[in-house]
Amino acid sequence: MPVKNVRELKSQLRAKYKKIRKSCPPEKKQQLDLALQNAFLASEEYKSCDVLFAFVSSPIEVDTSLILETTLKDGKRLALPKCKNNFGEMDFYLVNSLSQLEKGAFSIMEPNPEVCEKYEDFSHGLCLVPGLCFDMQGFRLGFGKGYYDRFLQNFSGTSVGLCYSKCIEHTLPSGVFDRPVDAVITEKYTNRTNNEFVKE
């Protein structure tokens, strides 16, 4: 149930899950990341999409490198975000090669707008949504910048979160502007928020 003021509670949860993620040994994280990426690539959501709105992962996030490479190899359109400003606004650009990326906001690799085509059709497709934590209803705890909260307001396709099973809460605090994802994939199971639960 949405609550009016969730800022303090979300801040506490962010600190908790950042600590959990940073304490994961590199070898274990690599194993989990591979399992998560393979689960995503085997999902019906990925198989049926023609355009994937993905993201280039930071060290604390689930690695997305295999997903990006496979999307290009599979001949699907790959759209990656570029931050426009510090107010939660971003644009997506079609990327034909990962060599078209350059270091951008928050030291994350982003599309080079001089060589990539801006993509503005958000009526369909599959969006891979980052998050520190997700709950069983598909609500997420992001990094507090609001980029995906804004984007998902105008996105009409399917949204999927990738998350370690140890970073899943039963219920997260949610505000009136929070949008749940359609499915959450972990290394152990896939939880579709239409009540379909698939154990890996």
Side-chain angles (χ1 to χ4, degrees):
M1 179 180 295
V3 293
K4 290 183 179 179
N5 189 356
V6 299
R7 185 173 296 176
E8 184 177 348
L9 182 53
K10 284 187 174 183
S11 179
Q12 295 171 354
L13 287 168
R14 281 191 187 96
K16 172 185 175 180
Y17 284 105
K18 283 181 180 179
K19 184 176 180 180
I20 288 175
R21 286 172 177 249
K22 289 178 180 178
S23 66
C24 183
E27 300 81 6
K28 180 63 175 177
K29 183 182 187 300
Q30 190 174 24
Q31 293 173 359
L32 292 171
D33 287 348
L34 182 60
L36 274 159
Q37 290 181 97
N38 283 331
F40 173 79
L41 293 169
S43 70
E44 288 303 315
E45 285 84 356
Y46 172 76
K47 290 179 180 178
S48 62
C49 82
D50 63 340
V51 55
L52 175 65
F53 298 87
F55 62 93
V56 180
S57 53
S58 66
I60 200 172
E61 293 174 317
V62 176
D63 184 18
T64 59
S65 57
L66 178 62
I67 290 172
L68 304 184
E69 293 166 4
T70 304
T71 301
L72 292 173
K73 289 179 183 176
D74 287 345
K76 298 177 184 286
R77 286 176 290 176
L78 176 63
L80 296 176
K82 181 175 180 61
C83 297
K84 288 175 64 176
N85 50 46
N86 292 326
F87 304 108
E89 295 178 335
M90 60 184 178
D91 291 323
F92 276 85
Y93 289 82
L94 289 176
V95 171
N96 298 317
S97 168
L98 299 183
S99 65
Q100 296 176 328
L101 303 180
E102 61 182 7
K103 186 172 287 189
F106 312 110
S107 296
I108 300 297
M109 300 299 285
E110 296 181 336
N112 179 349
E114 294 185 4
V115 297
C116 297
E117 176 188 352
K118 191 175 179 180
Y119 194 76
E120 299 181 277
D121 182 2
F122 305 129
S123 64
H124 68 289
L126 176 62
C127 182
L128 186 60
V129 182
L132 279 170
C133 175
F134 288 84
D135 70 12
M136 299 304 289
Q137 292 73 46
F139 287 103
R140 59 185 279 274
L141 179 70
F143 290 85
K145 302 294 184 182
Y147 287 95
Y148 277 85
D149 294 326
R150 283 179 176 271
F151 174 73
L152 291 174
Q153 294 294 326
N154 299 310
F155 181 66
S156 302
T158 302
S159 55
V160 172
L162 277 188
C163 192
Y164 307 112
S165 59
K166 63 184 176 183
C167 294
I168 299 292
E169 290 267 337
H170 185 269
T171 303
L172 283 171
S174 58
V176 294
F177 297 110
D178 292 329
R179 283 273 305 273
V181 295
D182 297 304
V184 178
I185 295 176
T186 77
E187 77 281 4
K188 294 182 177 179
Y189 56 81
T190 295
N191 176 38
R192 294 180 174 87
T193 52
N194 62 359
N195 297 320
E196 181 183 353
F197 187 88
V198 181
K199 191 171 182 180
E200 298 298 327

